[in-house]
Amino acid sequence: MNDLGSMPVEGRIATRRLGADASGLAEAARLLAGGELVAFPTETVYGLGADATDPSAVARIFAAKERPRFNPLIAHLPDAAAARAEGRFDAAASRLAEAFWPGPLTLVVPAHARTSVCDLARAGLPSLALRVPRSALAQDLLARVGRPVAAPSANRSGRVSPTSAAHVLGDLDGRVAAVLDGGATPVGLESTVIACLGGPPRLLRPGGLPREAIRAVLGTDILDAEADAAERPVGPGLLASHYAPRARVRLDAERIEPGEAALLFGPDTPPGCVEARATFNLSPQGDPAEAAAHLFAALRDLDASGASVIAVAPVPMSGLGEAINDRLRRAAAPR
């Protein structure tokens, strides 16, 4: 298990400002490969990068940003071939990728069964968000890392997205290992996000690629995500019942009943655990960030035990506990 004891805390680590040269790129790639957070420029805004294959590294993003929910994160790749190795592209997604990659376009597509992007970065969804940035500096960094890099905007949640290294440091100094300083970003707002999930493509987020350009390539108007959200939600996290295992999920369990699977948190063991069909402690130390990194894998493992009920011990609401409880409530919602 990875040690999350060095989770970024404001003022606790020294954030380095790396130059946009071979030395800076090599150090940024080394830090990312080692599970650290590195902010880097794309053509849109600065992204807060972490190894998208490592759930512990991804959990650091949520902690550093104080992000209130486990929203899916965009996985950044150096080229379209690397992106296609992670997701399945239908005809529309292929046309858009050919026309606009590299560039300010994110495509949400079904994940390959063999995708290396971890559950936490995908928010437990069967889809994933992929982007090939146009920035030469970002492409060089991503090629050096050699694996997908999750990178939401490098700011605390709710604040203005950063378009310079100084903006990043104003928000995240002391919370991330380094900032790769590539100057001001040219586009200055986030990528356009299009979902290509088997039906007509849908616009999930307007951004640096205008709707007109998308329409010209597809030869048809693109629907907004809200157009049929009640009938067929296309955005992540829109369903009341979501992230749900086959087993029924019982929340705030003070006691584990015989034959239930037990999802635990912290050093205290509820009565009845010795009779549980299976147990998984998200964090014996009671660290919400460690729990966040393990949540989706834990639900899958306990579901595989064959138990009809997964009993979940209480998880505090502080820090990432709010997001953990949000996902657990959705898993427990009526289906």
Side-chain angles (χ1 to χ4, degrees), residues 11-34:
R12 190 173 152 188
I13 62 175
T15 299
R16 299 165 60 190
R17 195 165 186 162
L18 304 175
D21 52 18
S23 175
L25 280 162
E27 180 63 8
R30 184 191 70 81
L31 289 167
L32 285 168

Side-chain angles (χ1 to χ4, degrees), residues 190-212:
E190 295 86 351
S191 63
T192 299
V193 181
I194 303 293
C196 296
L197 297 171
R202 280 167 168 75
L203 177 68
L204 301 188
R205 182 181 76 184
L209 182 66
R211 183 190 295 262
E212 293 77 10

Side-chain angles (χ1 to χ4, degrees), residues 55-68:
S56 296
V58 173
R60 295 172 188 267
I61 289 178
F62 291 101
K65 285 177 65 70
E66 300 176 0
R67 194 173 178 122

Side-chain angles (χ1 to χ4, degrees), residues 123-135:
L125 296 169
S127 58
L128 77 170
L130 300 169
R131 185 160 99 84
V132 178
R134 189 171 60 222
S135 161

